[in-house]
C-alpha cells in the first residue's frame, strides 16, 4: 500500500510540472545570490556545492547581471563563496579541488566583467572582503604554490596555471589589476621555475608558465619594484634557464613549421600553375594568406629573458635537435577550438616526437636560429599595426642581443657555423632563393641577411621609419663589435652596401611625402655614418683588401645618389625650419663619401680618355682605385664607433604597455572557461570519491 501511494505521488508531481527540473548546482547558485546565508537551511551547503559540476556560464552570467544594490546585499555570500573555494583547494577530494579552481575563475571573471569601472579596492571588497583580502589571497597563493610544486595530478597543475592566467588577464590593463599586488607579495616565481627546470613538467605546462611569467614581469614595472623582475634578473640556474629557452624555442619552431606547411600548400597545385602563367599578379594575395597571427606572448617572454638576465644569453646559442623533450611521456590532450596559428603552445605530440623532419641542411639548431627564422616571417608584412608591433619587438630583441658582448662573441665565432634558411618575401623582380645554396656561416651573417632583406623589401608608401632606424642601428652595433675586436667575417658586404644606397635613393625620391610624417635625416645620417664606418675602419674588419676596394667601387658607381643627397641636405639646411639642424649633420657626414667621389671620378675619366675606352669594366675601375689611394685625403670623424645603449624606459614604455594589453586580451580569449575541459577533468577524478 505504501509503495502504491509513493508511485501515485511521483506520478502526480511529474504530470503537474510544466517546467523542466533545474540542475541542483543552479539551485545552489540561486541560494548564494539571495541575501540569506545558504548554510542556515543546509549546514552542508558548501561541502555539497564543490561536489557538483560547475556551471561556469551560468555563474558568470549571474555575477554580470547583478546591479549595484544587489551586489551590496549578497556581498557576504560572495565573500563566503570565495573563502570556501580557497578552503576547498586543500581538500583531499580532487573533484572538490577541480570545482573550486573553476569556480574561482568564474568569480574573478564575472566580478571584473560586471564592475569594469569600479576601483580595484571595490572589486577586492566584493570578492573577498577588504579586511580579509590579505589573508584570503595568502591562502590562495600558498595552495596554488603547493599544487604546482607537489607530486599531484598534472591536470590540476594545468588548471592552476589557467586560473593564474585568468586572474592576471582579467583586466585589459594588467597594471590596473589591484589583486595582483597580492600575487607580488605571495610570489609563485619559484613554482614557475620548478616547472621550467623539470623535463616532464615543462613539456606539459611550460608554455603557460612562461607566458604567465612574462605577464607578471610587466605588472607596474615602471611604477614600483616588481619582485618578478628582480628575481628573473638574477636567475643563474642553468637547467631552469635552459628549460625556459626550450619552451620558447618550441613555440617559435612550431609556428615556423606550420607557416612552412601553409607556404608549401599555397605553392602547390593549380594556384602555382596559374601564378607561373600570369606572372606575379597574385603574389600579394598569396602573401596575405600566409600572414597568420603571430605569437607576441612568447616573444615578450624571450625579450624579458634577454633584456633582464645576462645569463640567458648563453641559452640562445646552445645547440640541440630541432625538437627535444623526447623523454616526457605523451598524454592525451583535451580537444580545444581552432585558434589562429602561433597563439597556442606546441602540442605534446610535437614536443615528444623525435622523428619529426629536421631542416635538411641543419642537424642541430638553437634558439637564436629559430628566432631569426621566426623574425624573417613576421617581418615580411608590416602593413597593419599588429604585425608592425611584432616586427618591432623582434628588432628590439635583436638590438639587445647585438649589444651584448657574449652574444656578439658567439655570433661571430668561426667555429659555430650554421645554414639558416630565412624566409624571403615574394617579389616580382627576383626569383625565389634555393635554400640548398646557403653556405654554413657564423650566425652574424644570418642577422645581417635578415637586416638586408628588411631594408630591400619595405621601401613603400606606408614607410616603417621606426623599423628602418632599428634595423640600421643593429647593423651599426654589430660592425662596432667587429671593429673593436678586429673580427673579419666572410660576408657579401656588397649586398648590404647596395641595399643602403637604394634606401638613400628611396628617401630622396620620396622626400616630400616622407618629410610630412618622418625625420628622414635621422635615418639618412645613420646610413651615411655606416658608410663612414666602412671607409674609416674597414681595413680592421673587412675580410680582404679587395673588399675595401669594392666598397670604393660601389660609392663611385652610385655617386649620383650621394651627389643628390648632398644637394638636398644642403638646400634644406640653408633654410630656417625644423629640419635645418638634422640636415646640416648629414651634410657634414657626407664629407668622406664626396671626397672619394671627387678624387676618383676625374682619375677614372682620365684613364678612359688615355686608353680610348668609352665605358670601363669593374676590374678597370678597381685598378684605378688601387693605384690612387695614396693621394686621397679623408677626414677622421669622431664617435663613429659609439652608440647609445638600449633602454626600455622611457622611450619604449608606451609600446610595451600597449603590447602587454594586446597580449593580455589574447591570452584571456584563449584561456576561455569553455575550454577548460570540465568533463575530462571530472572523468579523471571520478574514481576518487
Amino acid at each position: 500500500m505504501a509503495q502504491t501511494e509513493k508511485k501515485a505521488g511521483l506520478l502526480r508531481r511529474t504530470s503537474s510540472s510544466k517546467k523542466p527540473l533545474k540542475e541542483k548546482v543552479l539551485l545552489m547558485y540561486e541560494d548564494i545570490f539571495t541575501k540569506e546565508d545558504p548554510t542556515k537551511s543546509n549546514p552542508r551547503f558548501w561541502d555539497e556545492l564543490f561536489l557538483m559540476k560547475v556551471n561556469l556560464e551560468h555563474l558568470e552570467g549571474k555575477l554580470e547581471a547583478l546591479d549595484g544594490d544587489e551586489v551590496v546585499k549578497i556581498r557576504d555570500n560572495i565573500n563566503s563563496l570565495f573563502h570556501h573555494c580557497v578552503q576547498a583547494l586543500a581538500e583531499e577530494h580532487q573533484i572538490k579541488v577541480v570545482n573550486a579552481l573553476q569556480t574561482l575563475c568564474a568569480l574573478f571573471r564575472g566580478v571584473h566583467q560586471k564592475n569594469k569601472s569600479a576601483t580595484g579596492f571595490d572589486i577586492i571588497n566584493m570578492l573577498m572582503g577588504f579586511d580579509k583580502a590579505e589573508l584570503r589571497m595568502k591562502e590562495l597563493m600558498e595552495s596554488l604554490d603547493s599544487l604546482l610544486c607537489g607530486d599531484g595530478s598534472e591536470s590540476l597543475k594545468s588548471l592552476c596555471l589557467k586560473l593564474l592566467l585568468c586572474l592576471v588577464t582579467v583586466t585589459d590593463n594588467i597594471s590596473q589589476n589591484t589583486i595582483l599586488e597580492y600575487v607580488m607579495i605571495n610570489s609563485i616565481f619559484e613554482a614557475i621555475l620548478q616547472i621550467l627546470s623539470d623535463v616532464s613538467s615543462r613539456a606539459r605546462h611550460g608554455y603557460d608558465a612562461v607566458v604567465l611569467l612574462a605577464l607578471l614581469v610587466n605588472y607596474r614595472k615602471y611604477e614600483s619594484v616588481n619582485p618578478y623582475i628582480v628575481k628573473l634578473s638574477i636567475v643563474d640556474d642553468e637547467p631552469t634557464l635552459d628549460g625556459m629557452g626550450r619552451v620558447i624555442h618550441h613555440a617559435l619552431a612550431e609556428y615556423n613549421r606550420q607557416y612552412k606547411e601553409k607556404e608549401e600548400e599555397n605553392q602547390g597545385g593549380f594556384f602555382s600553375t596559374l601564378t607561373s602563367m600570369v606572372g606575379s599578379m597574385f603574389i600579394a594575395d598569396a602573401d596575405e594568406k600566409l600572414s597568420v597571427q603571430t605569437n607576441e606572448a612568447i616573444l615578450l617572454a624571450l625579450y624579458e629573458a634577454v633584456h633582464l638576465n645576462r645569463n640567458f644569453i648563453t641559452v640562445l646559442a646552445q645547440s640541440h635537435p630541432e625538437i627535444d623533450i623526447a623523454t616526457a611521456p605523451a598524454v592525451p590532450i583535451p580537444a580545444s577550438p581552432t585558434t589562429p596559428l602561433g597563439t597556442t603552445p606546441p602540442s605534446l605530440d610535437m614536443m615528444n616526437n623525435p622523428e619529426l623532419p629536421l631542416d635538411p641542411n641543419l642537424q642541430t639548431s638553437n634558439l637564436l636560429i629559430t628566432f631569426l627564422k621566426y623574425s624573417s616571417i613576421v617581418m615580411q608584412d608590416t602593413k597593419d599595426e599588429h604585425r608592425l608591433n611584432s616586427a618591432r619587438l623582434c628588432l628590439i630583441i635583436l638590438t639587445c642581443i647585438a649589444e651584448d658582448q657574449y652574444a656578439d662573441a658567439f655570433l661571430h665565432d668561426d667555429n659555430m657555423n650554421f645554414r639558416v634558411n630565412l624566409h624571403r618575401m615574394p617579389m616580382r623582380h627576383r626569383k625565389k632563393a634555393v635554400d640548398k645554396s646557403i653556405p654554413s656561416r657564423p650566425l652574424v651573417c644570418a642577422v645581417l641577411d635578415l637586416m638586408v632583406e628588411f631594408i630591400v623589401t619595405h621601401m613603400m608608401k606606408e614607410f616603417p621609419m621606426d623599423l628602418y632606424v632599428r634595423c640600421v642601428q643593429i647593423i651599426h652595433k654589430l660592425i662596432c663589435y667587429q671593429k673593436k675586436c678586429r673580427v673579419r667575417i666572410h660576408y657579401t658586404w656588397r649586398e648590404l652596401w647596395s641595399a643602403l644606397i637604394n634606401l638613400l635613393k628611396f628617401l630622396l625620391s620620396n622626400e616630400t611625402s616622407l618629410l610630412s610624417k618622418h625625420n628622414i635625416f635621422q635615418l639618412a645620417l645613420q646610413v651615411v655614418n655606416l658608410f663612414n664606418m666602412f671607409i674609416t675602419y674597414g681595413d680592421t674588419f673587412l675580410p680582404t683588401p679587395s673588399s675595401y676596394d669594392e666598397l670604393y667601387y660601389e660609392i663611385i658607381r652610385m655617386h649620383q645618389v650621394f651627389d643628390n643627397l648632398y644637394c638636398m641636405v644642403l638646400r634644406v639646411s640653408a633654410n630656417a625650419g625644423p629640419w635645418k639642424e638634422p640636415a646640416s649633420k648629414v651634410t657634414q657626414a657626407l664629407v668622406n663619401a664626396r671626397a672619394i667621389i671627387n678624387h676618383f671620378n676625374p682619375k677614372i675619366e682620365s684613364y678612359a680618355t688615355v686608353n680610348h675606352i668609352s665605358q670601363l669594366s669593374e676590374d678597370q675601375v678597381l685598378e684605378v682605385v688601387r693605384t690612387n689611394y695614396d693621394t686621397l685625403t679623408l677626414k677622421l670623424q669622431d664617435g663613429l664607433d659609439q652608440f647609445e645603449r638600449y633602454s626600455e624606459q622611457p622611450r619604449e614604455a608606451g609600446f610595451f604597455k600597449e603590447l602587454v594589453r594586446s597580449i593580455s586580451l589574447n591570452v584571456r580569449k584563449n584561456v576561455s572557461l569553455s575550454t577548460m575541459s570540465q568533463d575530462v577533468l571530472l572523468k579523471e577524478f571520478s574514481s576518487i570519491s
Side-chain angles (χ1 to χ4, degrees), residues 307-319:
H307 179 231
L308 294 174
N309 192 306
R310 289 213 62 210
N311 299 314
F312 188 80
I313 292 292
T314 62
V315 175
L316 293 174
Q318 286 177 2
S319 295

Side-chain angles (χ1 to χ4, degrees), residues 478-536:
L478 293 172
I479 292 174
C480 285
Y481 174 82
Q482 293 168 20
K483 179 257 176 185
K484 177 184 174 183
C485 299
R486 294 182 171 265
V487 177
R488 300 182 188 274
I489 60 164
H490 290 276
Y491 183 71
T492 49
W493 290 109
R494 203 173 230 184
E495 289 184 9
L496 172 62
W497 300 330
S498 176
L500 293 172
I501 292 170
N502 283 326
L503 174 56
L504 291 177
K505 192 175 180 180
F506 176 82
L507 296 179
L508 286 166
S509 301
N510 297 274
E511 174 194 348
T512 306
S513 61
L514 290 175
L515 266 180
S516 65
K517 301 175 185 177
H518 309 291
N519 176 6
I520 63 171
F521 302 105
Q522 177 196 8
L523 181 57
L525 180 63
Q526 287 181 324
V527 172
V528 171
N529 277 339
L530 269 185
F531 278 102
N532 283 329
M533 277 286 289
F534 282 103
I535 292 166
T536 310

Side-chain angles (χ1 to χ4, degrees), residues 160-225:
C160 288
L161 288 168
K162 299 294 185 194
L163 170 60
L164 286 163
L165 284 170
C166 172
L167 171 57
V168 171
T169 62
V170 81
T171 55
D172 292 353
N173 181 349
I174 67 169
S175 292
Q176 291 177 354
N177 186 352
T178 312
I179 296 178
L180 293 187
E181 285 296 331
Y182 300 109
V183 183
M184 297 293 116
I185 297 167
N186 304 286
S187 175
I188 50 155
F189 184 81
E190 286 71 23
I192 293 173
L193 293 198
Q194 183 172 316
I195 289 169
L196 296 177
S197 61
D198 179 75
V199 173
S200 176
S201 183
R202 181 170 71 233
R204 293 180 173 88
H205 316 299
Y207 183 88
D208 283 347
V210 162
V211 172
L212 176 63
L213 180 58
L215 289 169
L216 288 171
V217 161
N218 280 275
Y219 174 73
R220 295 185 180 171
K221 69 193 303 189
Y222 308 120
E223 299 141 45
S224 59
V225 177

Side-chain angles (χ1 to χ4, degrees), residues 294-328:
T294 51
N295 192 337
E296 277 97 355
I298 215 74
L299 270 190
L300 180 66
L302 176 58
Y303 164 75
E304 297 296 358
V306 168
H307 179 231
L308 294 174
N309 192 306
R310 289 213 62 210
N311 299 314
F312 188 80
I313 292 292
T314 62
V315 175
L316 293 174
Q318 286 177 2
S319 295
H320 48 75
E322 193 76 34
I323 306 300
D324 68 351
I325 315 187
T327 57

Side-chain angles (χ1 to χ4, degrees), residues 88 104 108 127 139 152 156-157 174 190 260 296 312 327 393 435 452 456-457 543 546 583 588 635 648 686:
L104 283 167
F108 283 130
L127 273 171
E139 292 170 345
L156 276 185
K157 289 182 182 181
I174 67 169
E190 286 71 23
K260 191 170 184 179
E296 277 97 355
F312 188 80
T327 57
L393 186 52
D435 290 347
V452 169
V456 168
T457 55
S546 62
Q588 295 161 19
K635 182 180 178 182
E648 182 181 318
S686 61

Side-chain angles (χ1 to χ4, degrees), residues 114-171:
K114 173 63 185 175
N115 300 277
K116 285 185 175 180
S117 59
T119 66
F121 299 107
D122 289 338
I123 286 174
I124 290 169
N125 200 32
M126 182 179 175
L127 273 171
M128 58 196 96
F130 200 72
D131 56 335
K132 302 273 178 53
E134 192 170 334
L135 175 62
R136 296 285 178 264
M137 286 302 297
K138 182 175 186 292
E139 292 170 345
L140 172 60
M141 297 307 294
E142 285 177 352
S143 293
L144 293 175
D145 188 80
S146 296
L147 288 167
L148 288 171
C149 296
D151 297 326
S153 160
E154 296 300 330
S155 297
L156 276 185
K157 289 182 182 181
S158 179
L159 197 53
C160 288
L161 288 168
K162 299 294 185 194
L163 170 60
L164 286 163
L165 284 170
C166 172
L167 171 57
V168 171
T169 62
V170 81
T171 55

